[in-house]
Amino acid sequence: TLNEWSSQISPDLVREFPDVLECTVSHAVEKINPDEREEMKVSAKLFIVGSNSSSSTRNAVDMACSVLGVAQLDSVIIASPPIEDGVNLSLEHLQPYWEELENLVQSKKIVAIGTSDLDKTQLEQLYQWAQVKPNSNQVNLASCCVMPPDLTAFAKQFDIQLLTHNDPKELLSEASFQEALQESIPGIQAHEWVPLWLLRYSVIVKSRGIIKSKGYILQAKRRGS
């Protein structure tokens, strides 16, 4: 996307480097026809990369709705936010993001919300605390070939769907993002830019269970801006 976008922009823009760069390749994104909306399920998974601000959650959902031309996402799963090495994920880490997701459910921007990589204890703590309960939890195939029995039993009791995924722990590092930026846009001060979040979306035809389209949306910020 960066390569294609940078080949189409004017050299003046590259020289000025504004604080906001909207890098889109229009033919790669397909808006959903309003007449077909009822037949489609729009789901997303949100990876928080750099910012500890829960506003990232709202920004990501708003941008996904805008890009796809819809008023609402059917489901959003949030990947566990980044935490320091040696620190276990706790309810406190998740709460600000979950509260923002709950607000988005209440304002009808999202229908259902779910989590990723929570064990039975973490999922139970979130479930008991949350106003809007998680309806799904993704389990990484790399970490277990068989679903943990205690997690399975808890999910069954509270009607939480257990799904599998094989996403790496870090989908996009700050260093690899900056490297891609430097290669694609010569002269940019890549070290000034930090990724905030990455959202992966899928548009699925409900009746046939096939993926109509999928893609990624990323937001990065210039340090100090």
Side-chain angles (χ1 to χ4, degrees):
T1 298
L2 285 169
N3 279 333
E4 193 163 335
W5 174 83
S6 61
S7 69
Q8 296 167 1
I9 57 170
S10 85
D12 296 341
L13 179 66
V14 178
R15 274 198 293 275
E16 290 164 20
F17 288 129
D19 290 336
V20 177
L21 288 173
E22 188 171 332
C23 307
T24 53
V25 180
S26 54
H27 67 78
V29 181
E30 187 182 348
K31 283 197 186 297
I32 294 171
N33 182 333
D35 296 336
E36 297 177 351
R37 178 63 182 95
E38 285 299 306
E39 299 159 32
M40 305 293 165
K41 180 184 178 185
V42 186
S43 58
K45 184 171 182 179
L46 176 61
F47 302 84
I48 304 294
V49 184
S51 162
N52 287 328
S53 156
S54 58
S55 64
S56 292
T57 313
R58 179 171 289 276
N59 290 346
V61 170
D62 284 345
M63 208 175 286
C65 287
S66 172
V67 163
L68 296 170
V70 296
Q72 184 182 61
L73 303 181
D74 295 296
S75 76
V76 174
I77 285 173
I78 187 158
S80 303
I83 48 176
E84 294 164 31
D85 288 343
V87 177
N88 287 327
L89 181 73
S90 69
L91 182 60
E92 287 74 29
H93 293 117
L94 268 175
Q95 279 171 328
Y97 302 102
W98 197 261
E99 283 175 339
E100 198 52 57
L101 285 172
E102 289 180 327
N103 291 337
L104 289 161
V105 171
Q106 279 147 12
S107 61
K108 298 198 165 23
K109 273 277 191 177
I110 309 174
V111 178
I113 49 180
T115 54
S116 183
D117 300 316
L118 298 193
D119 62 24
K120 187 258 181 183
T121 304
Q122 293 163 336
L123 186 59
E124 186 173 16
Q125 287 174 346
L126 177 66
Y127 190 91
Q128 289 172 347
W129 167 80
Q131 287 184 308
V132 179
K133 309 296 184 188
N135 85 322
S136 62
N137 180 47
Q138 284 189 338
V139 179
N140 194 325
L141 283 171
S143 63
C144 68
C145 300
V146 179
M147 292 280 184
D150 60 343
L151 181 62
T152 307
F154 180 80
K156 188 174 181 182
Q157 183 183 355
F158 292 99
D159 197 24
I160 299 169
Q161 194 177 9
L162 289 182
L163 308 166
T164 57
H165 76 93
N166 57 0
D167 297 318
K169 192 155 184 63
E170 187 175 50
L171 201 62
L172 178 75
S173 70
E174 188 174 304
S176 56
F177 169 72
Q178 290 171 349
E179 194 178 315
L181 204 57
Q182 194 71 64
E183 285 175 10
S184 308
I185 311 174
I188 194 169
Q189 300 294 310
H191 65 275
E192 291 183 0
W193 293 84
V194 287
L196 300 180
W197 53 260
L198 183 65
L199 178 139
R200 182 178 62 218
Y201 66 82
S202 303
V203 180
I204 298 159
V205 182
K206 289 180 189 173
S207 59
R208 294 157 66 193
I210 59 169
I211 296 175
K212 189 170 191 288
S213 68
K214 60 181 180 177
Y216 291 86
I217 304 168
L218 174 142
Q219 186 175 46
K221 178 184 176 184
R222 197 172 189 172
R223 289 186 214 271
S225 64

